[in-house]
């Protein structure tokens, strides 16, 4: 049953903050992660758990999956005549409008989760992915490899070879032999941006394949699994741009050893309820880790050893001072700190001070969607709205 406090404002445990019973219910729900297994961050607002109800509720099967337990809980609440809408409509019409919008979004997520649980959405199966990876041309630029794999998935043959592609203007290497300022600028522009990917695809496919880039920084309000699955199900091919230098919680040191050094492009060949399946290399990444890496600032980290190895007395830093983005990030100040620390801690064998400097990058985190030109998928990509910002 519902307690007498239902719908009233109650004191929070957080420094006197006051919030409604609905917010309290969400906090209680989140605190019971082990009881109902909220591994997939399904928002319990959609089933409107009252605090009193939740305190007395025990799931029927502790070994059941997250979705099964949530479905059981909804059924039990219906049997008990628990109706959150009655209170909301009467006492808080504004909150009712918010709640119904959340309800619609969360039910859509649940339906998507159930579909992915039953059957992953894929362009290739695991065996096909490994076979395609083995047949992909070798190149240190992940963007070119990714484009080749996108064309393989769409059944298009590149009109030039990989060797010729690497000589074209959309492929930029680091200048390892130049002095520090020029080296840093080359690191900033290293690799292929989303604009480079689109231009390169125009050339490689002779105009038969087109794409559109969806930026994911700042953070976006979307469940990346269902967003990707919707496009893949149509036959659209995603090419993701991830920043592996961005810290991600829950990643082991062993996993980090196999990661690319910084920015990297992956074709996404499948999505399942427990992860995003990537090519180049073949791997599966947790959805939250994947989203974290595409929601990255346009920054690249340069190890202190690479900075110290290029320091000279007569270096001209004027260009670093004149470019607004570099001045805003105080790149010259970072270099000076690394230099002073090297002099101060020169005799110490343990790592001290700044381990890298941060500089602007031309890369932008996000996903480029590709399809055959002048097809229904092409028109859908062009007409699609940008992914909403998370605010």
């Amino acid at each position: 049953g519902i307690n007498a406090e239902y719908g009233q404002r109650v004191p929070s445990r957080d420094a006197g903050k006051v919030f409604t019973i609905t917010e309290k219910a969400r906090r209680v729900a989140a605190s019971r992660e082990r009881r109902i297994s909220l591994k997939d961050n399904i928002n319990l607002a959609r089933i409107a758990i009252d605090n009193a109800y939740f305190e007395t509720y025990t799931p029927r099967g502790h070994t059941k999956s997250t979705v099964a337990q949530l479905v059981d809980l909804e059924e039990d609440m219906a049997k008990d005549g628990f109706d959150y809408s009655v209170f909301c409509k009467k006492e808080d019409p504004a909150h009712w409008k918010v709640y119904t919008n959340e309800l619609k979004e969360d039910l859509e997520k649940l339906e998507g989760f159930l579909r992915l649980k039953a059957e992953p959405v894929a362009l290739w199966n695991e065996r096909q992915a490994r076979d395609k990876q083995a047949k992909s041309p070798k190149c240190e630029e992940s963007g070119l490899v990714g484009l080749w794999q996108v064309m393989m998935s769409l059944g298009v043959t590149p009109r030039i070879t990989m060797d010729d592609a690497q000589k074209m203007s959309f492929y930029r290497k680091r200048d390892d032999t130049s002095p520090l300022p020029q080296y840093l600028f080359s690191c900033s522009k290293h690799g292929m941006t989303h604009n480079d990917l689109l231009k390169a695809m125009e050339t490689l496919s002779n105009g038969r394949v087109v794409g559109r880039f969806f930026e994911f920084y700042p953070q976006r309000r979307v469940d990346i699994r269902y967003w990707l699955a919707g496009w893949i199900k149509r036959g659209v091919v995603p090419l993701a741009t991830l920043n592996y230098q961005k810290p991600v919680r829950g990643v082991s040191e062993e996993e980090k050893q196999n990661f690319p050094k910084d920015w990297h492009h992956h074709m996404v060949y499948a999505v399942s309820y427990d992860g995003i399946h990537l090519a180049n290399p073949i791997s599966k990444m947790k959805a939250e880790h994947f989203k974290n890496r595409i929601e990255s600032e346009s920054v690249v980290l340069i190890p202190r050893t690479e900075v110290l190895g290029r320091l000279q007395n007569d270096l001209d830093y004027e260009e670093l001072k004149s470019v607004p983005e570099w001045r805003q990030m105080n790149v010259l100040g970072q270099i000076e700190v690394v230099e002073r620390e090297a002099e101060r801690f020169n005799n110490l064998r343990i790592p001290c001070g700044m381990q890298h400097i941060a500089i602007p990058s031309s890369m932008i985190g996000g996903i480029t969607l590709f399809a055959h030109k002048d097809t229904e998928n092409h028109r859908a990509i062009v007409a699609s709205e940008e992914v909403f910002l998370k605010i």
Side-chain angles (χ1 to χ4, degrees):
I2 311 304
N3 67 13
E5 290 185 332
Y6 186 67
Q8 298 176 5
R9 295 178 71 80
V10 295
S12 166
R13 295 179 182 176
D14 298 341
K17 178 184 175 184
V18 176
F19 55 100
T20 65
I21 197 73
T22 306
E23 291 165 348
K24 182 177 180 181
R26 292 191 195 181
R27 292 205 176 190
V28 173
S31 71
R32 301 305 175 88
E33 184 172 355
R34 276 177 284 186
R35 179 181 283 187
I36 54 173
S37 306
L38 296 179
K39 293 177 182 175
D40 300 283
N41 298 320
I42 296 177
N43 190 346
L44 283 181
R46 70 180 185 78
I47 49 177
I49 301 175
D50 159 70
N51 184 51
Y53 189 98
F54 195 85
E55 289 286 0
T56 60
Y57 180 77
T58 303
R60 293 184 229 156
H62 289 279
T63 59
K64 286 191 174 184
S65 69
T66 301
V67 172
Q69 289 185 30
L70 291 175
V71 171
D72 285 350
L73 183 51
E74 281 190 307
E75 291 174 354
D76 289 351
M77 291 173 71
K79 289 175 185 175
D80 288 354
F82 177 82
D83 191 351
Y84 180 71
S85 64
V86 173
F87 162 73
C88 266
K89 283 181 178 177
K90 181 180 178 182
E91 302 292 337
D92 195 348
H95 185 76
W96 169 247
K97 185 176 181 180
V98 173
Y99 168 72
T100 52
N101 289 336
E102 288 179 346
L103 182 68
K104 181 181 177 182
E105 288 183 9
D106 293 325
L107 287 177
E108 287 175 355
K109 288 181 184 178
L110 180 62
E111 291 170 5
F113 180 89
L114 288 168
R115 288 195 296 270
L116 286 178
K117 181 83 172 176
E119 183 180 2
V121 176
L123 296 165
W124 302 332
N125 61 34
E126 197 69 21
R127 183 188 60 78
Q128 290 172 327
R130 296 193 179 279
D131 182 56
K132 302 281 188 185
Q133 184 66 50
K135 293 178 180 178
S136 299
K138 302 297 183 287
C139 175
E140 67 175 25
E141 174 47 55
S142 61
L144 286 176
V145 177
L147 292 176
W148 244 261
Q149 292 174 335
V150 168
M151 286 186 284
M152 290 169 71
S153 181
L154 292 171
V156 174
T157 302
R159 72 179 185 88
I160 61 175
T161 65
M162 177 63 84
D163 289 338
D164 290 334
Q166 292 182 68
K167 298 172 185 175
M168 302 191 76
S169 60
F170 44 67
Y171 175 58
R172 294 180 298 276
K173 292 185 177 182
R174 289 188 183 91
D175 187 356
D176 291 319
T177 61
S178 62
L180 181 60
Q182 289 70 37
Y183 171 72
L184 294 179
F185 276 111
S186 72
C187 290
S188 175
K189 299 175 182 178
H190 171 64
M192 295 178 69
T193 67
H194 64 278
N195 286 323
D196 295 324
L197 294 174
L198 294 171
K199 291 175 185 176
M201 180 59 84
E202 173 76 19
T203 301
L204 295 172
S205 70
N206 203 21
R208 289 175 291 171
V209 177
V210 291
R212 178 185 167 190
F213 178 72
F214 290 82
E215 186 174 351
F216 273 76
Y217 181 82
Q219 286 186 323
R220 306 290 154 149
R221 182 167 58 85
V222 66
D223 190 308
I224 196 64
R225 289 175 301 181
Y226 312 132
W227 190 85
L228 282 169
W231 288 113
I232 290 175
K233 195 170 183 179
R234 298 181 64 117
V236 172
V237 186
L239 185 60
T241 304
L242 288 71
N243 183 5
Y244 280 90
Q245 291 183 329
K246 184 176 180 182
V248 174
R249 292 182 180 180
V251 178
S252 68
E253 289 301 320
E254 184 179 352
E255 286 180 282
K256 290 179 183 178
Q257 297 301 319
N258 298 321
F259 286 161
K261 287 178 62 179
D262 43 60
W263 290 88
H264 196 84
H265 302 285
H266 294 277
M267 178 191 143
V268 180
Y269 70 86
V271 178
S272 61
Y273 78 98
D274 60 346
I276 312 296
H277 299 252
L278 307 171
N280 192 37
I282 300 298
S283 56
K284 182 174 74 173
M285 188 180 297
K286 290 182 179 179
E288 58 267 33
H289 293 178
F290 177 87
K291 189 166 184 283
N292 193 294
R293 291 185 173 113
I294 60 174
E295 293 176 336
S296 174
E297 294 180 85
S298 297
V299 172
V300 64
L301 305 180
I302 309 299
R304 63 181 284 127
T305 52
E306 295 186 17
V307 175
L308 292 172
R310 290 173 171 81
L311 285 176
Q312 300 172 16
N313 294 326
D314 57 346
L315 290 176
D316 182 7
Y317 293 115
E318 198 58 40
E319 197 171 359
L320 296 185
K321 300 176 186 177
S322 62
V323 181
E325 295 87 352
W326 291 68
R327 191 169 60 247
Q328 184 178 359
M329 292 184 67
N330 192 23
V331 175
L332 182 56
Q334 294 181 67
I335 294 171
E336 290 172 347
V337 170
V338 168
E339 189 173 8
R340 285 198 302 269
E341 287 178 346
E343 295 172 356
R344 184 177 178 184
F345 304 124
N346 189 38
N347 296 324
L348 297 180
R349 295 183 180 180
I350 59 174
C352 296
M354 292 176 61
Q355 296 306 302
H356 57 255
I357 67 169
I359 66 173
S361 172
S362 58
M363 306 295 283
I364 298 176
I367 297 171
T368 309
L369 299 178
F370 289 100
H372 288 282
K373 188 175 182 180
D374 295 329
T375 60
E376 191 62 37
N377 282 343
H378 175 203
R379 289 186 283 273
I381 293 172
V382 172
S384 177
E385 294 182 352
E386 288 289 343
V387 186
F388 293 127
L389 288 170
K390 184 176 182 180
I391 54 175

